[in-house]
Structures are given as structure tokens and as C-alpha cells.
Amino acid sequence: MSTPDVFDRSLARQRLSRALKVGYADFLLVRTVEDLQERLSTVLRSFAVALDVGTPTPAAAKALLQNGLAEKVVRLSPTPEAGSVWGDEERLPFSGEQFDLAVSLLALQGVNDLPGALIQIRRALKADGLFMGALLGGSTLTELRQALTQAEAEMEGGVSPRVAPFADLRDIGGLLQRAGFALPVADSDVIRVRYANAFALMRDLRAMGLTNALNDRRRTPLKRGTLMRAAQVYAERFADPDGRISATFEIVWLSGWTPHESQQKPLRPGSAKMRLADALGVKEGEPAPQKKE
């Protein structure tokens, strides 16, 4: 079954390239790079060769090297960049089992085939290699999505896709398993950023290259009246007492290891050496004793 093309990948790269040239808004990326370093610092092993898959800037690659988390980093850049391999996260230009570590920050939410991208990352890793990534999750920009939907329905009698669908945390663990990763883990970090108004938020989204790149987007610009109404709805529904608005960004973290015989494995069903009733100190069929307050 073919994967539907939700995103116009060429347009998304053009918009990211423009953002990088005029001044990339890196506050989310700075946050995720710091979190990546903290998460990797708890892994009690070193990585010889790491792969950076599509992170918008070289910030993650630099952090891995500067903090001794990897001896060498190969970077797959989404836009032309000196010293990096220019390529597509959905078509990794590497043969199998080259890397000990792969990371990807704020990139994979824009691929059309996330399971396929994860499979390619897993194949690029050596046995017992680690993948750690962060992507925008399902509650990201929920306020903006609601404001635009209401405004467009009121002003134009219908709605069109304006904010991209993001992966849901509940599905990520299953996608990692589907891609062949062992010991998959997924969690999320919800960040709320405050702005003077919806237009300030939209300027930041443009400066991150995150404006609408959906294939099903309306090709005509949003009408001024609709845009003004959306800003009004946003302020009415999501403003703080001081009048500033909040915008939600959910960062979904995912990690998994390529399978190796040294990794922990669940016991086979029926292989337990003690009954649960014996462990709880009760007879079979009796309830466990309650702890007294």
C-alpha cells in the first residue's frame, strides 16, 4: 500500500532554506539540543560514529562533538550546507550498519512516510546502535488550528487545512516497534510559548520554516478579513490575564536500539518459577491483603 503524500516536501525545504537565510528562530531547537545532551549523558557508553538525520541546523552535530558524546558525526542536511551531506530524510544515502548512534531533532514530523524513515534509520545503525529523536507532536499549535478553523468557517463558509497533522504520542511506540527497534521508549515535553498576539506567533513559524506545506492546502492566500478574525478568536479563547496569548509546542521524544543478543528480553510465557499468589502470600483466588493506613 502506497503512503499518501501529505506534505509538499520540496516546498517545505524551500521555506526552511528561506528561514535559515533570513534568521532562523532557534528557541525550540536550542531546547531540544539541551534535552538531547541530557538524555544521552545517562547512556553509559560512548559512540564512535553518529548520524544526524535532518536537524534544521548543525546545532545537534556540534553538541555531540563538543560534549564528547560522539567521536565523529555525519550530518544529513535538509538544505545545502558546507561539510554536510545534502539529502532527504525519507531516502537516506547510506549503506547499512554504518553508525553507532543516530539523532534527529525537529525534522521527522514533516516526512510523508514516518515508519519508512524509521526503518531506514534502523538499517543505517550497527547492531546495538541507538536512535534518539524529537519531533513535533499532536498537540502542537492546537490553539492556532482552532482559531483558523473557526475564523475560516465564519468568514468563508468552509475550512481548509492550515496546520499540519502531527504524530500522536500514543502511536510513536508502535511505530518504533514496527520499524524493528528494540526497547522502544516514547515520551513528550509540552512547551507553552507566550506571544503578544497571533501575528507574532505566525512570524516565528515563518522564521522556523513551519508555514503551511500541506499538499491539500488552499493555493490562494488567506483573506485579510479571515486572518484578522483568526487573531481575534485566538485572543478571545487563548489569552492570559495580561492579554498575551499562549502557543503549545509538544516535543515527542522517541528512542530505540537496533536488536542485539546482549539486550534484555521479556521472558517466554509460562517460564515463571514462582506463582503470583505465592509472591503475594495469599491462597490462589484470594485477594491480596490491603495495606493499613
Side-chain angles (χ1 to χ4, degrees):
M1 183 182 298
S2 61
T3 303
D5 286 339
V6 176
F7 301 101
D8 184 334
R9 301 274 294 152
S10 177
L11 178 62
R13 283 191 289 269
Q14 290 174 21
R15 290 181 171 171
L16 175 59
S17 180
R18 179 184 63 190
L20 292 169
K21 289 177 181 177
V22 301
Y24 182 76
D26 66 352
F27 63 95
L28 283 181
L29 186 57
V30 168
R31 169 75 171 258
T32 54
V33 169
E34 291 173 351
D35 287 351
L36 174 70
Q37 295 176 76
E38 182 177 349
R39 289 166 182 263
L40 286 175
S41 68
T42 66
V43 181
L44 302 179
R45 60 173 289 183
S46 58
F47 300 98
V49 184
L51 171 65
D52 174 11
V53 184
T55 302
T57 78
K62 290 179 180 178
L64 292 176
L65 293 171
Q66 292 172 356
N67 292 278
L69 297 170
E71 298 173 16
K72 176 184 177 181
V73 179
V74 176
R75 173 163 156 73
L76 182 77
S77 172
T79 61
E81 180 183 287
S84 299
V85 178
W86 180 25
D88 189 336
E89 300 93 327
E90 292 186 304
R91 297 177 180 83
L92 298 188
F94 307 107
S95 58
E97 301 186 3
Q98 287 193 46
F99 304 98
D100 305 285
L101 169 70
V103 301
S104 178
L105 303 184
L106 303 184
L108 295 179
Q109 72 276 346
V111 301
N112 286 309
D113 183 8
L114 181 54
L118 292 174
I119 289 171
Q120 292 185 59
I121 292 171
R122 193 257 303 162
R123 289 174 176 169
L125 287 166
K126 298 176 183 177
D128 204 29
L130 172 64
F131 167 62
M132 189 170 290
L135 64 158
L136 295 175
S139 63
T140 297
L141 299 176
T142 181
E143 303 91 349
L144 181 61
R145 180 183 291 108
Q146 294 177 53
L148 286 170
T149 298
Q150 181 176 333
E152 200 165 13
E154 289 179 3
M155 304 295 291
E156 304 184 32
V159 298
S160 60
R162 295 289 180 183
V163 179
F166 297 109
D168 193 286
L169 174 63
R170 294 172 296 181
D171 300 326
I172 293 294
L175 291 179
L176 286 167
Q177 289 183 314
R178 178 178 165 186
F181 283 102
L183 308 175
V185 176
D187 63 89
S188 73
D189 178 20
V190 176
I191 303 167
R192 289 186 171 85
V193 183
R194 286 170 23 103
Y195 290 93
N197 50 53
F199 301 111
L201 166 61
M202 293 175 192
R203 284 194 294 271
D204 258 4
L205 295 177
R206 189 174 298 109
M208 286 188 280
L210 292 180
T211 48
N212 191 355
L214 295 170
N215 271 322
D216 289 340
R217 69 191 183 280
R218 183 180 292 183
R219 294 315 200 252
T220 56
L222 197 63
K223 295 180 179 179
R224 177 177 175 80
T226 305
L227 189 60
M228 297 299 292
R229 177 55 182 154
Q232 182 182 23
V233 171
Y234 204 129
E236 291 171 352
R237 296 180 58 183
F238 304 110
D240 295 329
D242 63 0
R244 296 176 68 83
I245 64 167
S246 293
T248 298
F249 294 91
E250 181 185 14
I251 309 298
V252 174
W253 283 93
L254 56 162
S255 65
W257 297 80
T258 48
H260 188 265
E261 60 184 10
S262 66
Q263 294 166 354
Q264 295 180 349
K265 297 176 177 63
L267 295 175
R268 298 190 311 275
S271 62
K273 294 181 173 56
M274 177 182 284
R275 297 184 310 151
L276 179 60
D278 293 337
L280 295 175
V282 299
K283 293 182 179 180
E284 193 78 39
E286 289 185 353
Q290 299 295 313
K291 182 186 291 186
K292 293 182 180 181
E293 297 295 338

